[in-house]
Amino acid sequence: AQKITQTQPGMFVQEKEAVTLDCTYDTSDPSYGLFWYKQPSSGEMIFLIYQGSYDQQNATEGRYSLNFQKARKSANLVISASQLGDSAMYFCAMREEDDKIIFGKGTRLHILP
Amino acid sequence: SAVISQKPSRDICQRGTSLTIQCQVDSQVTMMFWYRQQPGQSLTLIATANQGSEATYESGFVIDKFPISRPNLTFSTLTVSNMSPEDSSIYLCSVRTGEYYEQYFGPGTRLTVT
């Protein structure tokens, strides 16, 4: 069974609008971490934001925030005021107690001018 | 964070040959990871490499096909052996560091097997 599910293979969003990228996860470990990475067309993997399973507050990092709903096992990425440079592939990832990070299939985000 | 370099950045290889990919980190790290990203796909973990011990391979990956060396805390190599066109992928190394033990990735090696 998939541990990280990203249901949106592609999204088109108008510049300056906010966008939410969905991610659900499956784990039985009490301690885990959730990550979002951005992969532009250049291919590099860029770490965006982290949420720990015990964190009480939703993580924020500049224009990125993580909408963490633990009971629903959901960790959606919200990008506010989208920019053309946000066009990229976005991966949700999870680290369980064995320290390995596994990735979802990704969502390709297109920002329209 | 960490600065990671990989060599080569890309290569085109003949079927049946082997390629060794180098990964260099600018600081000492305990764990290094090797991933494969097939065209249009997500990242799949190949193995975890700790200095001074044998690499730990994920299901579906074997040492004979993907031998890994980890001679010190800043360097690792991944060899793709007896290549076939199905091995055409981007290979990325990464290290775990930072406040959240997040992983930082090298720029990747784009391999095409003909």
Side-chain angles (χ1 to χ4, degrees), chain A residues 16-46:
Chain A
K16 297 187 176 63
E17 290 184 353
V19 56
T20 298
L21 305 180
D22 295 340
C23 174
T24 56
Y25 60 91
D26 182 27
T27 182
S28 55
D29 288 351
S31 176
Y32 54 90
L34 297 157
F35 305 82
W36 278 91
Y37 284 83
K38 173 183 179 182
Q39 188 177 43
S41 57
S42 57
E44 61 193 302
M45 290 289 288
I46 302 169

Side-chain angles (χ1 to χ4, degrees), chain B residues 57 62-67 79 81:
Chain B
Y57 289 82
V62 295
I63 187 170
D64 289 346
K65 175 69 175 177
F66 297 101
T79 299
S81 304

Side-chain angles (χ1 to χ4, degrees), chain B residues 51-72:
Chain B
Q51 193 266 338
S53 62
E54 294 286 330
T56 303
Y57 289 82
E58 296 301 303
S59 175
F61 297 96
V62 295
I63 187 170
D64 289 346
K65 175 69 175 177
F66 297 101
I68 289 171
S69 78
R70 183 78 203 275
N72 57 53

Side-chain angles (χ1 to χ4, degrees), chain A residues 41-56:
Chain A
S41 57
S42 57
E44 61 193 302
M45 290 289 288
I46 302 169
F47 165 65
L48 296 178
I49 196 166
Y50 168 82
Q51 180 83 42
S53 57
Y54 294 118
D55 293 343
Q56 297 294 317

